[in-house]
Amino acid sequence: MSPDWKSLTAYRTPAWYQDAKFGIFIHWGVYSVAAYKGEWYPRHMYERGGEYANYYQHQVSTYGAMPQVGYKDLIPRFKAEHFDPQAWAALFHAAGARYVVPVAEHHDGFAMYDSKLSDWTAVKMGPHRDVIGELAKAIRAQGMKLGLSSHRAEHDWFYEYGRSFDSDVNDPKYAALYGPAHPTESAKGADGKDVDWTFVSDAYLNDWLARSSEIVQDYHPDLMYFDWWVGQPRFRGALAEFAAFYYNQAASRDQGVVLNYKLDNMMPGTGTLNIERGQAADILAQPWQTETSVSPDSWGYAEGDTYKSPDEIVQLLADVVSKNGNLLLNIGPKADGTIPDEAKSILLAVGQWLKLNGDAIYGSRPWQRFGEGPTQVAAGTMQDTKTKPYTPEDFRFTTHDGHLYAIEMEWPANGQAVIHSITPSMAVRKVTLLATGTSIAFRQNADGLHLELPKRPSGLHAYVYRIDTQVASGRMDLKEQR
C-alpha cells in the first residue's frame, strides 16, 4: 500500500480478530505510583486552579513543592517489584481473552518499551525492565495475540499547565520527558463544530512517526491502537504514512494485523473503528471494537476506585458481539505490578462464563438482527454508563457453525421466556441451555418461540440458548466484511 487513503482501503480485518471477540487492555505506567484518579494525573497535577486543582494539592502535599518536585520524581518510585508477566498472561488466558493490548506509551511520554529514541523508558529508569518485551513473550506463549497502544500524539500538549508557573516542565533538562507542552487551541467553526488549532511542529510529527514505527519494527504487534488525537488535522498525513508502513511490514511477514482508530480519524475501510466507552446502535457492516474499563471512572489504577459488576461486562460483551464487534476490557495494575483483587475477580468471572458459553461468542457472526427487547443502549462514544439495566425481555443473537444463539440478558422470574424474532417458519428442532447442556421445553406460536425454563443456573446474568432449526442458521449477509 502507499500512504494515501484510497490505497489504504485495501485493508481487510483479519479473520483472527473477527473470531477473537474479547481482549484485555492494560493501562500501567508511572501514573500508577500516585494512584490518584487515574492515568491523567501527570497533566492535572500541574493545574493549580479549577475543577482539577485537587490533583495539584495532592501532588504538593504528598511528594513536595514545585518546582523542586514534579512528575519526573515519581519515576524512581515506579519499581514494578512484583511484576510477573507470566502470571499476568495466565490470568488473561483464564479470563477468556484472545488478544492483549498493553499501553506502550501513554500521554505522559514515558515509554514502557525499549525505545532507542528516548532516555525516558522503563528499561533505563524505574523498573529497569522491558515491560512490553516481557509481556509480548508471555502473551504469545499463552496463544494470545499481541496488541500495543500508543497515546503519544497527545503528548504534544499534555503538560501545558506546567508552562503557566514555575514548574519543572520549564526546565530544559527535562524537555525530553515533558515534550512541547503547547497550549491547546480550539474554536467553533462556521458550521458549529469544534476545530482544533493546537500547534504541531514538523519535528514532532517526524518523532511521532519514528516512535510508532519503532514499535512495529521491534515488537511486530498483531494490533496497533491509537488514541483520538491522531485525528487532529496536522496528523493526517503522518497517520497515512504509518498505516501504509504497518500494513506493508505485516504483509512481508504474512501477518494479519489490525489498526484501531476512533471517531472519523481514518477514512472508513482503512482500519478498524474503535468506540471508546460506547456501543453501536445496530449491526455494523465492518468489524469494530468497543473499549471500556472495569472501572467506570478511570483506566489506570486509582486508590478507592469503584468497579463494574461482572454481569455488566458479560451483558456488554453479548451486545457488542451481536453487532459485529469486539470488546476490549481494560484493567489498571498497581505500581508494584500487582493486579487489584477486584479486577482479578471480574476477569475470572468473565472467563468462567466464556468457558461455558463461548460457542455463542468466539468465531460467531451476527444474525439477521442483533436482538430484541425494550432496553435501548446509549450508542456513541463515552456512553457506557448510561444504558439502563437489561430485562428478561432483552435478547441478543449470534450465529456460529450453523447454530443460532439467543442470549437472554436477565432470567425471568416466572420461568417463562418468549423470543419474538424466532417465528414458526423457522421450524425449531431443539433448544439447549448452553451453560448446563439442559434441553429446554418449547413451543412455537404466532408471537414467537416460547420457552419453559428450568431452575435458574448459577453464574452471571446472561443466559445462552442454542437453537437448532430445520435449516441451518447463518450470519446476516454483510456487504463489507473488511
Side-chain angles (χ1 to χ4, degrees):
M1 299 184 192
S2 58
D4 68 81
W5 295 107
K6 185 175 182 180
S7 171
L8 293 169
T9 58
Y11 168 80
R12 295 293 183 271
T13 304
W16 73 258
Y17 183 78
Q18 293 186 58
D19 293 341
K21 303 304 180 186
F22 181 52
I24 302 295
F25 208 3
I26 311 169
H27 277 68
W28 190 44
V30 178
Y31 43 82
S32 305
V33 171
Y36 187 80
K37 301 187 178 182
E39 72 293 342
W40 277 57
Y41 182 83
R43 174 173 171 83
H44 296 318
M45 61 174 270
Y46 290 100
E47 292 190 60
R48 295 180 298 166
E51 63 176 311
Y52 297 114
N54 54 339
Y55 286 74
Y56 172 80
Q57 294 160 4
H58 176 83
Q59 171 67 19
V60 172
S61 62
T62 306
Y63 301 108
M66 297 187 186
Q68 291 80 12
V69 179
Y71 187 64
K72 67 181 185 307
D73 299 289
L74 299 187
I75 296 173
R77 298 170 179 260
F78 181 44
K79 298 178 181 178
E81 60 269 28
H82 300 304
F83 170 50
D84 184 342
Q86 287 75 30
W88 283 23
L91 173 64
F92 304 149
H93 186 267
R98 295 294 173 86
Y99 60 107
V100 182
V101 187
V103 171
E105 182 179 336
H106 208 258
H107 311 323
D108 63 346
F110 187 83
M112 297 292 286
Y113 63 100
D114 188 12
S115 175
K116 311 305 186 294
L117 303 174
S118 174
D119 290 327
W120 299 88
T121 77
V123 174
K124 300 168 184 173
M125 298 179 178
H128 291 281
R129 297 171 68 175
D130 181 0
V131 169
I132 295 302
E134 293 184 39
L135 273 174
K137 291 179 181 178
I139 289 164
R140 285 173 163 152
Q142 288 282 354
M144 298 178 288
K145 297 288 187 178
L146 172 71
L148 293 173
S149 79
S150 171
H151 309 245
R152 184 169 178 80
E154 295 80 2
H155 186 65
D156 183 65
W157 44 262
F158 198 59
Y159 291 102
E160 65 173 304
Y161 296 110
R163 296 287 194 215
S164 65
F165 68 103
D166 187 15
S167 80
D168 62 336
V169 172
N170 301 299
D171 191 327
K173 292 196 298 290
Y174 311 118
L177 172 64
Y178 295 126
H182 287 304
T184 49
E185 299 287 351
S186 62
K188 294 288 184 182
D191 58 0
K193 295 182 179 179
D194 289 327
V195 180
D196 194 316
W197 295 102
T198 305
F199 178 74
V200 184
S201 68
D202 290 341
Y204 192 78
L205 289 173
N206 289 337
D207 179 78
W208 175 86
L209 183 57
R211 292 182 189 229
S212 301
S213 302
E214 180 186 44
I215 292 172
V216 170
Q217 289 190 154
D218 290 354
Y219 298 94
H220 301 171
D222 302 291
L223 177 151
M224 276 291 290
Y225 166 110
F226 289 126
D227 216 337
W228 87 100
W229 213 63
V230 292
Q232 205 263 7
R234 283 279 288 157
F235 272 87
R236 180 160 289 177
L239 180 57
E241 284 193 61
F242 173 81
F245 174 79
Y246 183 37
Y247 295 154
N248 292 336
Q249 283 273 309
S252 72
R253 295 189 292 270
D254 293 323
Q255 180 186 19
V257 296
V258 175
L259 178 54
N260 285 140
Y261 71 94
K262 297 182 180 180
L263 305 169
D264 56 357
N265 292 352
M266 293 177 68
M267 182 176 173
T270 62
T272 298
L273 176 67
N274 178 82
I275 302 175
E276 181 176 354
R277 288 192 183 271
Q279 293 155 261
D282 206 336
I283 298 170
L284 298 187
Q286 297 181 19
W288 60 283
Q289 176 177 276
T290 186
E291 50 156 336
T292 193
S293 184
V294 293
S295 166
D297 302 312
S298 63
W299 297 87
Y301 173 70
E303 290 183 0
D305 212 350
T306 57
Y307 291 85
K308 298 174 182 176
S309 72
D311 301 277
E312 290 179 77
I313 302 301
V314 165
Q315 290 171 341
L316 173 62
L317 176 64
D319 179 75
V320 168
V321 170
S322 75
K323 297 170 181 174
N324 204 28
N326 286 20
L327 172 61
L328 183 62
L329 180 65
N330 175 78
I331 62 162
K334 297 180 180 180
D336 66 1
T338 58
I339 295 174
D341 289 340
E342 298 91 341
K344 277 186 182 179
S345 64
I346 291 171
L347 293 184
L348 292 174
V350 172
Q352 182 61 29
W353 186 89
L354 282 167
K355 186 176 181 180
L356 298 174
N357 299 287
D359 285 351
I361 301 298
Y362 301 125
S364 69
R365 297 294 184 268
W367 190 46
Q368 298 165 4
R369 59 189 301 180
F370 73 85
E372 66 177 48
T375 305
Q376 300 295 314
V377 303
T381 298
M382 300 298 186
Q383 304 293 314
D384 68 338
T385 60
K386 297 181 181 179
T387 294
K388 295 180 180 179
Y390 288 104
T391 72
E393 288 75 46
D394 290 303
F395 289 86
R396 294 295 182 264
F397 305 119
T398 65
T399 65
H400 185 204
D401 286 345
H403 300 290
L404 172 63
Y405 294 92
I407 305 172
E408 189 171 21
M409 299 299 226
E410 279 288 350
W411 192 260
N414 62 2
Q416 308 287 317
V418 182
I419 308 175
H420 300 290
S421 299
I422 301 178
T423 62
S425 64
M426 294 181 62
V428 173
R429 293 187 298 108
K430 185 177 182 181
V431 179
T432 305
L433 182 61
L434 200 59
T436 62
T438 306
S439 292
I440 302 296
F442 68 91
R443 67 182 188 277
Q444 289 192 271
N445 293 351
D447 65 339
L449 178 66
H450 289 246
L451 305 180
E452 299 286 339
L453 301 179
K455 182 181 178 181
R456 172 177 168 173
S458 61
L460 304 183
H461 297 194
Y463 308 93
V464 182
Y465 309 105
R466 186 181 66 224
I467 300 168
D468 297 312
T469 61
Q470 297 293 348
V471 179
S473 297
R475 66 167 174 80
M476 70 173 294
D477 183 19
L478 298 179
K479 295 179 181 179
E480 294 283 348
Q481 275 287 323
R482 290 193 179 275

